[in-house]
Amino acid sequence: MLEIPIAALNHYAYCPHRCWRMFCAGEFVDNVYTVEGTTGHQRIHTVGEGFREEAWQVRGIWLSSQRYGLVGKADLVESESGEFYPVEYKRGKQNPWENDDLQVCAQGLCLEEMTGTPVAKGYVYSLQSRRRREVELSPQLRQTAIATLEAVRELLTTGNCPPAVYEKPCRGCSLFDRCLPQAATKMARYREA
């Protein structure tokens, strides 16, 4: 089974075309947001472990699932009272983005398989606000994560390029100048004239 990077679920939910460019075409360009994210992750990606209050923490740990064909690095995994949960760090404000929730859920699926214990929740930590937002790994979120995983697997297997569709998140995308999502609409208008 083709192993899917956990982060690919986040990118696909953000924009299927971006996911194709990154994971099929091998394109990536930094912008201010990606540089901020990389800088903010430097400490958290240093492999190590320790305690925060009652929670045991391990940073930069690799997760995998043979059942789902997932692999990726968790920013942080915590364990408290026999329960494990992933903590995904994000550079921006604390917002409930579905793509971030899918990434946390995929990490939870891997943790369940690796530890043999259910994972009921995870967290998204905002580097800007320094706050956590709990993500419940509900049956609905799990179904969405698995469906997204299968869509990514199909994308990576076939290599078919999804169309670039202009939406609000495009303005912050580091690949905006490569994909030119507004070009198709402008070309269609140009041909009609």
Side-chain angles (χ1 to χ4, degrees):
M1 177 186 305
L2 176 66
E3 283 190 334
I4 305 299
I6 292 171
L9 278 73
N10 188 315
H11 291 289
Y12 186 90
Y14 183 83
C15 171
H17 186 79
R18 175 183 172 85
C19 185
W20 178 86
R21 284 192 171 274
M22 291 178 69
F23 294 95
C24 291
E27 295 180 25
F28 185 78
V29 177
D30 273 319
N31 68 8
V32 66
Y33 303 120
T34 62
V35 171
E36 283 178 6
T38 300
T39 303
H41 276 85
Q42 283 177 345
R43 183 181 85 82
I44 200 67
H45 279 179
T46 303
V47 177
E49 64 178 286
F51 283 89
R52 183 184 135 260
E53 298 174 12
E54 299 296 316
W56 172 72
Q57 298 181 320
V58 61
R59 300 177 188 284
I61 186 172
W62 283 94
L63 302 176
S64 67
S65 167
Q66 289 185 350
R67 177 179 179 190
Y68 296 108
L70 281 166
V71 65
K73 197 177 212 182
D75 292 337
L76 178 67
V77 172
E78 292 185 337
S79 177
E80 189 172 359
S81 302
E83 293 184 27
F84 292 90
Y85 44 90
V87 182
E88 179 62 28
Y89 280 56
K90 296 297 177 187
R91 66 146 214 80
K93 295 178 183 176
Q94 190 175 22
N95 289 313
W97 303 116
E98 181 186 45
N99 52 316
D100 294 341
D101 293 358
L102 292 174
Q103 187 172 1
V104 169
C105 186
Q107 292 172 358
L109 294 173
C110 291
L111 275 173
E112 284 181 340
E113 186 173 319
M114 293 172 70
T115 65
T117 60
V119 176
K121 64 183 176 185
Y123 295 92
V124 175
Y125 178 83
S126 164
L127 290 164
Q128 186 173 349
S129 69
R130 297 180 185 220
R131 294 181 167 250
R132 289 181 179 201
R133 177 177 59 80
E134 185 175 310
V135 177
E136 178 192 355
L137 304 188
S138 67
Q140 181 181 352
L141 181 59
R142 290 167 184 267
Q143 288 175 347
T144 304
I146 293 167
T148 304
L149 169 64
E150 292 310 316
V152 171
R153 182 169 280 115
E154 176 77 13
L155 178 78
L156 299 183
T157 301
T158 66
N160 293 337
C161 179
V165 177
Y166 182 76
E167 294 179 343
K168 186 178 178 180
C170 292
R171 290 181 248 160
C173 180
S174 65
L175 296 173
F176 180 81
D177 291 337
R178 298 234 175 159
C179 100
L180 301 172
Q182 295 166 308
T185 305
K186 289 181 180 181
M187 289 300 293
R189 280 188 286 197
Y190 174 77
R191 286 187 203 139
E192 291 174 9

